[in-house]
């Protein structure tokens, strides 16, 4: 099982403050002989729809030396997990959780816009110090 991201606890607390129930930590995905682990699986009851919303959240700190390299790795992981979820749990939406600072840096640059639009990436932007969700981008 992979190590937890340095902002894992902050994202978990932010989701719980937003009334999400953490169901898996991590969420295990199996495809063929391979196991993959998305950082968090969560659900939330939607009273108006009398249903349930399910998400998977992959957390990325972008703490490496190159944000471009971190973006390459995050994008590959996000696409891989989304492909498996579409086959195994099509009702579960995948989000990439990042800090506000990361969003204001590389994700606000033209390359960030391109990656988000072309790959239809769903973002969860978190204030890691206050442990709150700043913004959901669908």
């Amino acid at each position: 099982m992979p190590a937890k991201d340095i902002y894992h606890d902050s994202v978990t607390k932010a989701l719980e403050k937003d009334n999400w129930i953490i169901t898996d930590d991590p969420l295990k995905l199996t495809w063929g002989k391979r196991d993959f682990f998305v950082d968090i699986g969560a659900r939330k009851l939607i009273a108006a729809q009398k249903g349930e919303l399910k998400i998977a959240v992959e957390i990325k700190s972008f703490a490496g030396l190159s944000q471009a390299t971190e973006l390459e790795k995050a994008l590959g992981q996000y696409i891989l997990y989304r492909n498996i979820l579409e086959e195994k749990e099509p009702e579960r939406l995948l989000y990439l959780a990042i800090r506000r600072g990361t969003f204001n840096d590389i994700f606000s640059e033209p390359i960030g816009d391109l990656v988000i639009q072309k790959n239809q990436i769903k973002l969860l932007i978190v204030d890691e110090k206050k442990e709150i969700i700043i913004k959901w981008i669908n």
Side-chain angles (χ1 to χ4, degrees), residues 18 29 38 50-51 56 74 76 78 104 114 117 123 125 129 134:
D18 199 42
L29 301 177
V38 182
K50 295 184 180 176
Y78 182 90
N104 291 338
L114 177 70
Q117 295 303 315
L123 291 177
I125 302 156
K129 292 181 179 124
I134 302 297

Side-chain angles (χ1 to χ4, degrees), residues 47-89:
Q49 298 173 346
K50 295 184 180 176
E52 184 175 78
L53 184 59
K54 294 168 80 175
I55 61 172
V57 180
E58 181 59 25
I59 304 162
K60 292 295 171 204
S61 64
F62 283 75
L65 294 176
S66 167
Q67 284 196 334
T69 300
E70 295 294 315
L71 180 61
E72 291 170 354
K73 290 191 287 186
L75 179 60
Q77 202 169 6
Y78 182 90
I79 291 170
L80 176 65
Y81 293 167
R82 185 177 62 199
N83 289 343
I84 296 170
L85 282 169
E86 286 172 353
E87 296 296 320
K88 294 248 177 180
E89 295 186 55

Side-chain angles (χ1 to χ4, degrees), residues 1-6 8 39:
M1 205 172 331
K4 289 184 179 182
D5 187 272
I6 57 176
H8 186 94
D39 291 316

Side-chain angles (χ1 to χ4, degrees), residues 72-121:
E72 291 170 354
K73 290 191 287 186
L75 179 60
Q77 202 169 6
Y78 182 90
I79 291 170
L80 176 65
Y81 293 167
R82 185 177 62 199
N83 289 343
I84 296 170
L85 282 169
E86 286 172 353
E87 296 296 320
K88 294 248 177 180
E89 295 186 55
E91 73 285 355
R92 191 181 294 270
L93 301 175
L94 178 62
Y95 283 85
L96 179 64
I98 57 173
R99 298 175 305 117
R100 179 190 310 198
T102 301
F103 179 74
N104 291 338
D105 288 339
I106 196 161
F107 280 91
S108 292
E109 295 175 10
I111 191 63
D113 290 338
L114 177 70
V115 166
I116 291 167
Q117 295 303 315
K118 291 283 187 181
N119 297 285
Q120 301 173 344
I121 294 177

